[in-house]
Amino acid sequence: MPAERAGFTVTMFLVDVSPSMGKLREVEVPNGPNGETMTIEMTNLEYSLQFVKLKIQEMIFNGRKTDQCGVILFGTDDTDNIVNEKNGGYEHVTEYIPIAQPDAGTLAKISAIQPSETTGDAIDALIVGIETQHQYLTRKATWTRKIVLITDGESPIEIEDWEATVKKMNSLEIGLTIVGIDFDEEELPFHEEDKSDIKRMNESFYHTLASKMDRGVVGNAEFALQELSRPEIRQVKSTMTGTILRIGDVESRAEEAIEIYVKTAKYTAKAPLPKMKRFSRRIKMSGEDDERMEVDEDEDKTVWAQLARRTEFYIDRGDGATEDGVSEAGDAEDESKGEKVEKEELIRGFKYGASYVPCPDNVFPHLPTVKGMEICGFFKAENFKRWQEMGEVYYVFADPDSPMQQVALSALVRAMAAKQSKLAIARWVRTNGADPKMGVMWPMVVEDQIDYLMWVRMPFADDIRNFPFASLEKLVTKTGEVVKSHPYLPTEDQVAAMEQFVDAMDLMDAGEKNEDGVREPWFDVRLSYNPALHRLKQALFHAAIVDDLATHPLPPPHPELTKYFEPPRRVLKRAREPTEQCKATFNVREIPAKVARTRKDNHVRARDEDEDILLLDKMAKRPPTSSQMPASQRPASQRAVQASPSRPKDKGKARTGGDSSASESETEPESDAEDLLLSKGPHLPTPTQSPEPDPGRAPGRIIGNTYPLEDFRQNIARGDVVTKAVEDLAEVIKEIVTKPFASRRTEEMLQCMRTLRKVALEEDEIDAWNAFLRQLRHVCLEERPGNKDFWEHVQGEGREISLISKSEASKFGGASDVTDAYAVQFINQQ
């Protein structure tokens, strides 16, 4: 099969519009209102045109002028083609879209194609497509030629002298792809029942036709649409750029220096996301020409205009501070807030502390760099830190037109390869006066072909930030003594458990078996795609080919895009036992995450640097005594003693014990407290030591079922677990009201709800409250056992305990989607 010339292609689409293409079919679409799969009706023509539009959309997406296409319809009521004009015949074949670079108008024209009332001959369309393409490419013999035939195979065709057509297509090196609607696939689960005789004969002929061609294939339309959603890497041919590779000081010691003329080209290229343009609904402004805005009077049409960004600078004189104001076209900027300043009057400034230091552009002149690549030295490959690679990788070839330069570079490459541990540090300046970039070069020797270098950018020393960490395996006291045993040092059992856990997660033998029966690695970087890039591309293509996204939602991503989202089952099964062993050895338990408390003015307190100090650098603290613990974390016996005023003796004992502990802690010298980390290990919390859990609190919660309101208020006072406290109290209320004898705690639960609603309103947890109240109503009235009596008490509270509405939320700077009328209706409905 001859190789295709990427970037120079003309594709002819031959589309069957015979009456049979108007037959309706049911197509499954995902993402229904409740997540179910829906079916919609469309004609075979609409279904097959999706393939054409997706292929054309790919050409538009690539944006190459040398990627062109044309559309020919067969089975039309009229006849319009170059073969009929010259020789007659070939009727009911129409050149619908002439060959050109496709654009958005091309897709619109294809969407307007409708089935006709006349049958057409696919062979006639094929011959017209060959002649139309050949005439257009008379002076472009090097271009790649493709023809795509879309049909359902239900129309009769004349198959006389088809061998001559195949011979001509092979001589012109034309590739033929036949996309059949409901065609059978032997290796795939596509098979149509009750197939007509004429379709069976035509399908067999198409397979014979494709088999006689050098580049021919027959496929099923459904499978072809699935394959179009398969992620593919876009091949980009990099342009070679000339430069000079220098070794040594060319200016001072020219006799010892070497200059080699080389060419550079990209080996890898970053695939950028498509550029998005911002649009806004156009509104008729006062004094605007009525003729230009006539379309706005139609309520069914919306005019959108692209936004042009405009940047303006203002000086805020209100409090003496200087700020930059940025506005966009269409924004109503209040210029009275500051004095407008032209960009030419501004100078660059750098922030130093709380102020800005002016720094004109001419303060730091550019380095007088010279174009070229300079090798600064060599180092061992074992010292190469792969994680410091930056950006794209480049080829460095010798000048293809100079054999002497090729010999010189080959000598350098082979000398580096002979010293297998040698890599080069190279400084690259693209143009005179440009900023230099440092990189690493390594040799590549391809026997009997070519020797070249690879270059990848590396950071400067000033760009690397070093973060020293204390040793995890060695602890040393202030006196220099090495501690052998400590809660912060791993034991032999912990090390062994972790090694087994890591070995069980090995993916190098988790893939499929090869021909020799050996399992291959599970992850292949060549088959791993960027989900964000390809999913966005799929969404853009889908939106371009459908008229209504509500009836034609975006299909799910291709399995190739998500196959690495989940680990292989074989590894999960193998790692199950080591995981449980690690949990038991390290005493792993869930700790509620700290959530930054949102203030009423929508500001979040910034974390101090001291809050992130390493654990081993912190001053050790004694574990709190029972009297210093929050009530929800105390042992159940002591909490019950404190809650009962009828037992003063026990209460006094608890208080006395707490005071003695506090006094001991207060009298502890600070120097001794610092030594607790190492010298007083038994006092530190170890993996096997934990406070006695609250029997009324479910695992993972910070609100218990015994004293929920007290626990809630204490956690809210902390300020960093507001969201977690709101969620946990909501769950506790739903659990308590559905348990037996819940009527005894009705007033307590109502008080919890009042407090919860107030906190949710003030702390911007409005959505959490509204969701909880809806769930509570469902639990009380629709689920079993339910609690209708409790919901009646909730209704008795009235509007004060109903859903939080927009007007209430706006007073506290929050947002809600509930109106006042609906909030009243919700609390009163039965």
Side-chain angles (χ1 to χ4, degrees):
M1 181 182 298
E4 295 184 0
R5 304 168 185 88
F8 298 85
T9 307
V10 171
T11 305
M12 297 299 301
F13 293 97
L14 314 180
V15 182
D16 188 357
V17 294
S18 302
S20 59
M21 294 291 286
K23 180 182 177 181
L24 293 176
R25 63 185 295 124
E26 290 187 351
V27 180
E28 292 185 354
V29 293
N31 305 329
N34 298 320
E36 74 278 4
T37 301
M38 302 185 302
T39 58
I40 59 175
E41 284 189 346
M42 63 174 61
T43 63
N44 285 338
L45 180 60
E46 293 174 336
Y47 183 70
S48 59
L49 286 178
Q50 295 183 52
F51 176 83
V52 179
K53 289 189 284 187
L54 285 172
K55 296 293 289 186
I56 293 178
Q57 179 73 355
E58 181 73 30
M59 301 178 188
I60 299 174
F61 183 80
N62 293 334
R64 290 192 293 259
K65 294 182 179 179
T66 55
D67 204 353
Q68 303 177 4
C69 68
V71 179
I72 293 178
L73 308 180
F74 62 97
T76 57
D77 298 330
D78 301 327
T79 301
D80 183 10
N81 61 79
I82 60 175
V83 180
N84 177 267
E85 293 175 359
K86 292 181 179 180
N87 306 320
Y90 301 92
E91 298 180 350
H92 306 298
V93 179
T94 301
E95 185 179 359
Y96 185 64
I97 299 178
I99 300 176
Q101 183 183 4
D103 53 19
T106 307
L107 296 175
K109 291 180 180 179
I110 293 176
S111 299
I113 299 176
Q114 297 292 331
S116 67
E117 298 181 356
T118 307
T119 59
D121 192 332
I123 298 300
D124 289 349
L126 184 60
I127 295 175
V128 171
I130 295 171
E131 293 298 326
T132 304
Q133 188 182 62
H134 181 62
Q135 180 176 340
Y136 181 79
L137 296 177
T138 301
R139 298 183 179 180
K140 302 175 181 178
T142 60
W143 284 42
T144 299
R145 309 183 184 202
K146 297 181 181 179
I147 293 180
V148 180
L149 176 65
I150 297 95
T151 180
D152 61 354
E154 294 286 359
S155 301
I157 56 178
E158 294 290 338
I159 59 175
E160 295 181 359
D161 298 331
W162 63 271
E163 293 89 350
T165 304
V166 171
K167 184 177 180 179
K168 184 171 184 178
M169 294 179 69
N170 288 335
S171 64
L172 296 175
E173 299 183 357
I174 297 176
L176 175 63
T177 300
I178 301 174
V179 180
I181 300 175
D182 297 328
F183 277 22
D184 294 341
E185 287 282 353
E186 296 180 359
E187 301 179 356
L188 299 171
F190 295 108
H191 181 74
E192 182 184 11
E193 301 293 340
D194 301 329
K195 185 177 298 186
S196 63
D197 294 337
I198 187 171
K199 183 172 184 176
R200 185 176 294 104
M201 294 175 60
N202 288 342
E203 186 175 343
S204 177
F205 168 73
Y206 286 134
H207 282 281
T208 303
L209 175 67
S211 64
K212 297 298 183 180
M213 294 191 58
D214 296 335
R215 297 167 54 196
V217 63
V218 180
N220 179 278
E222 182 177 353
F223 178 71
L225 289 173
Q226 291 180 7
E227 287 300 296
L228 283 179
S229 64
R230 177 186 293 272
E232 294 182 355
I233 297 177
R234 180 182 176 184
Q235 300 291 341
V236 179
K237 185 177 181 180
S238 176
T239 303
M240 299 183 67
T241 305
T243 187
I244 302 175
L245 177 63
R246 303 184 183 92
I247 306 176
D249 191 349
V250 179
E251 296 181 357
S252 303
R253 300 182 178 181
E255 67 282 357
E256 299 178 2
I258 301 175
E259 286 188 341
I260 304 175
Y261 290 90
V262 296
K263 297 283 187 178
T264 62
K266 287 185 178 181
Y267 176 70
T268 60
K270 179 183 178 181
L273 292 173
K275 294 182 179 180
M276 299 297 180
K277 298 180 181 179
R278 299 184 61 183
F279 291 83
S280 176
R281 191 187 304 271
R282 189 169 184 180
I283 303 175
K284 182 178 180 180
M285 307 298 293
S286 59
E288 193 168 3
D289 188 2
D290 293 338
E291 294 182 359
R292 293 174 54 195
M293 300 301 296
E294 287 181 357
V295 69
D296 287 351
E297 299 177 359
D298 190 351
E299 297 181 356
D300 297 334
K301 296 182 179 180
T302 303
V303 177
W304 297 84
Q306 182 178 345
L307 295 179
R309 188 173 183 85
R310 183 178 70 249
T311 304
E312 297 179 351
F313 301 90
Y314 294 89
I315 299 179
D316 186 3
R317 301 295 186 183
D319 56 355
T322 302
E323 298 181 358
D324 291 346
V326 180
S327 61
E328 295 183 358
D331 294 343
E333 184 75 20
D334 187 4
E335 300 184 4
S336 62
K337 292 183 178 180
E339 176 185 353
K340 185 176 180 180
V341 181
E342 298 298 332
K343 183 178 181 181
E344 291 74 13
E345 302 178 13
L346 302 175
I347 62 174
R348 186 182 302 274
F350 293 92
K351 190 173 183 180
Y352 183 77
S355 60
Y356 287 90
V357 178
C359 183
D361 295 336
N362 56 359
V363 171
F364 299 109
H366 290 284
L367 292 174
T369 55
V370 180
K371 176 182 178 181
M373 306 180 77
E374 298 180 5
I375 294 181
C376 304
F378 299 89
F379 66 98
K380 294 183 178 181
E382 61 188 24
N383 297 327
F384 178 47
K385 300 177 181 179
R386 298 289 298 236
W387 60 88
Q388 292 183 357
E389 294 181 4
M390 300 170 56
E392 300 162 341
V393 183
Y394 288 81
Y395 290 112
V396 181
F397 299 101
D399 189 349
D401 299 329
S402 176
M404 295 298 297
Q405 305 300 323
Q406 296 175 20
V407 171
L409 183 65
S410 178
L412 174 63
V413 171
R414 289 182 177 270
M416 294 175 62
K419 300 287 186 179
Q420 298 180 1
S421 60
K422 291 295 183 181
L423 300 181
I425 302 175
R427 179 176 180 265
W428 188 5
V429 179
R430 293 182 178 272
T431 58
N432 293 332
D435 294 333
K437 297 180 181 179
M438 296 301 296
V440 170
M441 281 183 173
W442 62 91
M444 300 294 294
V445 178
V446 182
E447 294 296 337
D448 301 330
Q449 293 187 23
I450 189 174
D451 300 336
Y452 60 95
L453 295 168
M454 304 287 283
W455 184 92
V456 64
R457 186 181 177 186
M458 302 289 285
F460 287 93
D462 296 339
D463 297 330
I464 302 175
R465 298 182 63 184
N466 294 321
F467 297 95
F469 292 93
S471 174
L472 298 177
E473 299 178 349
K474 184 178 181 181
L475 286 180
V476 182
T477 63
K478 291 183 178 180
T479 60
E481 180 182 358
V482 178
V483 179
K484 300 296 184 180
S485 177
H486 192 273
Y488 292 152
L489 293 176
T491 63
E492 295 182 358
D493 293 340
Q494 291 174 345
V495 173
M498 183 55 64
E499 289 180 351
Q500 294 178 5
F501 177 64
V502 173
D503 293 341
M505 294 190 299
D506 189 3
L507 300 177
M508 296 304 294
D509 59 348
E512 300 294 334
K513 293 183 179 180
N514 55 20
E515 298 178 354
D516 300 331
V518 179
R519 289 192 176 274
E520 298 180 344
W522 174 72
F523 181 80
D524 190 345
V525 67
R526 298 170 298 179
L527 302 178
S528 177
Y529 306 96
N530 185 346
L533 174 66
H534 293 281
R535 185 61 170 165
L536 178 59
K537 176 182 174 182
Q538 183 184 6
L540 290 174
F541 284 19
H542 181 76
I545 68 171
V546 301
D547 298 328
D548 188 359
L549 289 175
T551 57
H552 299 72
L554 180 66
H558 195 276
E560 286 293 322
L561 192 62
T562 59
K563 67 179 181 179
Y564 291 132
F565 280 15
E566 298 293 337
R569 294 183 179 179
R570 183 171 181 268
V571 175
L572 291 176
K573 182 179 179 181
R574 184 175 59 190
R576 186 178 297 115
E577 184 176 349
T579 302
E580 297 300 327
Q581 181 65 26
C582 281
K583 289 181 180 180
T585 306
F586 290 94
N587 192 22
V588 178
R589 59 185 183 276
E590 183 179 0
I591 299 177
K594 292 185 178 181
V595 181
R597 182 179 180 182
T598 304
R599 295 168 53 183
K600 296 180 181 178
D601 54 0
N602 294 332
H603 288 283
V604 179
R605 180 183 66 82
R607 294 177 58 85
D608 296 332
E609 294 181 359
D610 294 341
E611 296 182 13
D612 294 326
I613 296 178
L614 297 179
L615 179 62
L616 296 181
D617 296 332
K618 290 186 178 179
M619 183 182 297
K621 296 181 181 180
R622 288 188 173 226
T625 61
S626 59
S627 62
Q628 296 171 338
M629 292 183 182
S632 60
Q633 299 180 5
R634 301 175 192 168
S637 58
Q638 296 186 15
R639 187 169 56 195
V641 168
Q642 184 178 3
S644 176
S646 61
R647 301 180 62 182
K649 184 176 180 180
D650 294 342
K651 182 178 180 180
K653 289 182 180 180
R655 183 174 61 252
T656 303
D659 294 342
S660 63
S661 299
S663 300
E664 182 181 354
S665 178
E666 292 173 358
T667 59
E668 184 78 31
E670 291 186 4
S671 59
D672 295 340
E674 294 178 0
D675 293 336
L676 282 175
L677 179 63
L678 300 178
S679 62
K680 297 188 178 182
H683 294 282
L684 293 171
T686 65
T688 59
Q689 296 175 352
S690 60
E692 183 179 348
D694 182 3
R697 182 187 306 167
R701 288 186 184 171
I702 60 176
I703 305 297
N705 291 27
T706 309
Y707 301 98
L709 187 56
E710 182 181 354
D711 293 350
F712 181 72
R713 288 172 175 169
Q714 290 179 356
N715 282 283
I716 292 298
R718 290 177 53 187
D720 56 353
V721 289
V722 176
T723 301
K724 178 65 174 175
V726 170
E727 294 176 354
D728 287 1
L729 182 58
E731 294 297 326
V732 167
I733 294 174
K734 289 186 293 184
E735 289 182 2
I736 292 178
V737 299
T738 56
K739 289 184 177 180
F741 308 105
S743 58
R744 300 179 180 179
R745 307 184 66 178
T746 297
E747 183 58 34
E748 180 187 359
M749 292 300 101
L750 292 175
Q751 181 61 31
C752 288
M753 292 181 63
R754 298 186 195 103
T755 306
L756 178 61
R757 189 181 192 275
K758 179 181 178 182
V759 172
L761 183 59
E762 295 176 352
E763 301 293 344
D764 196 17
E765 297 290 341
I766 298 170
D767 293 339
W769 166 263
N770 290 343
F772 154 69
L773 199 60
R774 291 187 176 99
Q775 295 171 3
L776 181 64
R777 183 182 185 279
H778 179 78
V779 168
C780 292
L781 301 182
E782 299 182 19
E783 291 187 358
R784 292 185 180 182
N787 195 336
K788 185 177 181 181
D789 293 338
F790 180 77
W791 184 252
E792 291 178 354
H793 283 86
V794 174
Q795 289 179 319
E797 296 289 325
R799 176 68 179 83
E800 299 300 325
I801 205 172
S802 183
L803 300 174
I804 299 177
S805 62
K806 297 179 181 178
S807 58
E808 292 179 288
S810 60
K811 296 178 182 179
F812 292 87
S816 174
D817 57 354
V818 178
T819 62
D820 291 328
Y822 181 75
V824 175
Q825 177 186 355
F826 176 83
I827 200 65
N828 293 328
Q829 65 182 353
Q830 300 297 327

